[in-house]
């Protein structure tokens, strides 16, 4: 393992470590600040304003005051702001990626990938802003017009997690701007710096004062409760854990607020007897190792048909044990640290539990000493369906292989594996590898998830409707549906004049 340490990126000097309220960078009223750390080295990167409920109130008041004027701007002007911001993000890829890697840990190549992915939401919604449609019909008796139009929902609360510090923001801010909504935005306390850079880019792109207001805080409950209970916000868009999502849904009931919830996952990854094993291993390396395993879409339970288990395991172990682990800012590093020590302790506990219940670690399997929050790429075989990690998001670089079917490749074991895959309260994404089109169709139809990857380990795309069912969430982000989450429908009845 490489654990070289790096200097903080120059790009940090361009981050405003303050709150953004009404177009002005401002310290928290209390003067409080909190440290943002590099998970690879433990060094402090910045001291960021620690907002409280008073700051939150000012931010939302501003968003509410600006809503009417912002909603009246032309779709074309909003589209152009988004397009300029898209270009600025792309132009500043290296700088943003360096900040993201420093605060979150993902290797630079992946951070650059997230910058491209995150920027693309702005380009996509720049295109959608000018295509907000409506409908026009007439009543059955021919006497009245039914004119249906869409209007911005109003001031929105946006809350994002730490694992995709740029893309989770652009996936919400893009459609909110396109629709004509003002916003209060609370990025995750572990990774606020990328979000602050993003806010600055939007100002440079011409976003009017007060349309986007940003509050960083170590007390998310206090800040967000202030917003949820205010009666001023009309929508909450949240990405994060199911547990916090449920709290927000309860709070949203108080003012019957529109909600979008992108919550946790427990993705099944199914390798059928007839799978192309090279493609299946390639797919798993993406579905498991993207973001060091810290993704809601991460393959959590990997079901492998017994007839291909030995071959698949060997190929996977070869790939996983060859990965270079270390500080993601260094050349050639493929696996960075986990985001904090608590995350390493959680992964460690889940692996120990699986081993106690009969699993074998084919590589990795124990935490790494030294600075930084590292856990090595790990492959566990013969994982029991009763192991805790089958009902918990692992959120780390651990591939848990669970056999299904029999040694006979003619026995596809499909009913059993689908039943196991669906035996979870979550339903975000599922992956399946098979070369049989009927089997692929059955898996696509029967998996209880919002998204299915067939012979691919990556489903995220700005042009696709991302989201889950069951306890993985409500609503969709991206694609043609993404903007509707920020629009209300209004119907006007009008007699027809003949
Ligand atoms: P988290 O729920 O702990 O935090 C998410 C955000 O909620 C953060 O900004 C945090 O400050 C805030 N928060 C925490 N407590 C709050 C409260 N009481 N009220 C209001 N806000 C509060 O999740 P996390 O650890 O940052 O992120 C990991 C989780 O996010 C995983 O469960 C992962 O699956 C999920 N996730 C889902 C998607 C998706 O699109 N479905 C994408 C990325 C991550």
């Amino acid at each position: 393992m490489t654990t070289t340490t790096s200097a903080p990126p120059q790009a940090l000097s361009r981050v405003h470590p303050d709150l953004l309220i009404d177009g002005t960078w401002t310290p928290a009223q209390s003067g409080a600040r909190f440290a943002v750390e590099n998970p690879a080295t433990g060094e402090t990167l910045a001291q960021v304003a620690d907002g409280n409920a008073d700051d939150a109130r000012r931010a939302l008041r501003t968003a509410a005051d600006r809503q009417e004027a912002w909603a009246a701007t032309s779709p074309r002007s909003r589209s152009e702001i988004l397009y300029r911001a898209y270009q600025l993000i792309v132009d500043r890829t290296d700088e943003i990626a360096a900040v993201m890697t420093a605060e979150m840990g993902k290797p630079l190549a992946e951070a650059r990938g997230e910058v491209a992915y995150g920027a693309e939401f702005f380009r996509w919604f720049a295109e959608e802003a000018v295509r907000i449609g409506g409908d026009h019909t007439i009543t059955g008796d021919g006497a009245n017009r039914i004119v249906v139009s869409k209007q911005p929902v109003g001031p929105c609360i946006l809350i994002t997690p730490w694992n995709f510090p740029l893309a989770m923001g652009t996936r919400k801010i893009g459609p909110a701007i396109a629709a004509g909504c003002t916003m209060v935005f609370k990025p995750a306390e572990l990774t606020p710096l990328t979000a602050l850079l993003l806010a600055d880019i939007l100002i440079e792109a011409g976003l009017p004062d007060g349309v986007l207001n940003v509050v960083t805080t170590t007390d998310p409950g206090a800040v967000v409760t202030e917003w949820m209970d205010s009666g001023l916000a009309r929508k909450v868009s949240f990405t994060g854990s199911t547990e916090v999502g449920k709290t927000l849904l309860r709070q949203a009931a108080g003012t019957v607020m529109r909600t979008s919830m992108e919550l946790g996952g427990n993705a099944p990854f199914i390798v059928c007897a007839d799978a192309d094993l090279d493609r299946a291993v390639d797919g798993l390396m993406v579905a498991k190792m993207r973001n060091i395993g810290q993704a809601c879409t991460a393959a959590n339970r990997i079901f492998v048909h017994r007839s291909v288990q030995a071959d698949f395991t060997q190929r996977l172990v070869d790939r996983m044990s060859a990965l270079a682990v270390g500080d993601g800012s260094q050349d050639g590093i493929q696996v960075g640290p986990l985001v904090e020590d608590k995350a390493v302790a959680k992964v460690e506990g889940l692996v120990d539990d699986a081993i106690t219940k009969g699993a074998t670690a084919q590589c990795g399997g124990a935490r790494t000493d030294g600075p930084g929050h590292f856990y090595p790429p790990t492959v566990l075989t013969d994982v029991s369906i009763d192991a805790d990690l089958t009902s918990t998001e692992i959120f780390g670089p651990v591939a848990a292989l669970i056999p299904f079917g029999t040694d006979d490749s003619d026995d596809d074991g499909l009913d059993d594996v689908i039943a196991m895959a669906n035996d979870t309260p979550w339903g975000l994404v599922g992956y399946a590898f098979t070369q049989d089109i009927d089997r692929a169709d059955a898996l696509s139809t029967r998996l209880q998830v919002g998204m299915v990857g067939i012979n691919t380990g990556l489903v995220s795309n700005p042009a696709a409707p991302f989201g889950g069912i069951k306890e993985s969430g409500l609503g969709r982000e991206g694609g043609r549906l993404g903007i509707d989450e920020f629009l209300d429908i209004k119907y006007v009845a009008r007699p027809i004049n003949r």
Side-chain angles (χ1 to χ4, degrees), residues 159-164 168 171-172 186-190 217 219-225 228 238-245 247-248 251 261-265 294-297 339-340 393 395 426 428 451 466-468 472-473 477:
I159 307 165
T160 53
W162 50 264
N163 58 349
F164 291 95
M168 297 301 98
R171 203 163 78 170
K172 298 183 189 307
K186 197 212 75 57
E189 52 274 39
L190 288 170
T217 181
D219 193 354
V223 164
V224 176
T225 298
M228 297 295 291
F238 172 75
T239 300
S241 61
T242 296
E243 189 191 349
V244 173
T247 302
L248 294 173
Q251 291 181 325
M261 295 284 147
E262 297 288 350
L263 309 177
Q294 305 167 114
C296 52
T297 50
V339 73
E340 58 181 341
E393 287 184 285
F395 251 56
W426 282 302
L428 187 62
M451 303 175 286
F466 188 102
S472 288
E477 289 191 327

Side-chain angles (χ1 to χ4, degrees), residues 394-418:
I394 302 170
F395 251 56
V398 176
L401 307 192
I402 305 163
F404 75 94
T406 62
D407 290 332
D408 176 2
S409 62
D410 289 338
D411 163 19
D412 68 10
L414 215 58
D415 289 340
D416 283 351
V417 76
I418 290 173

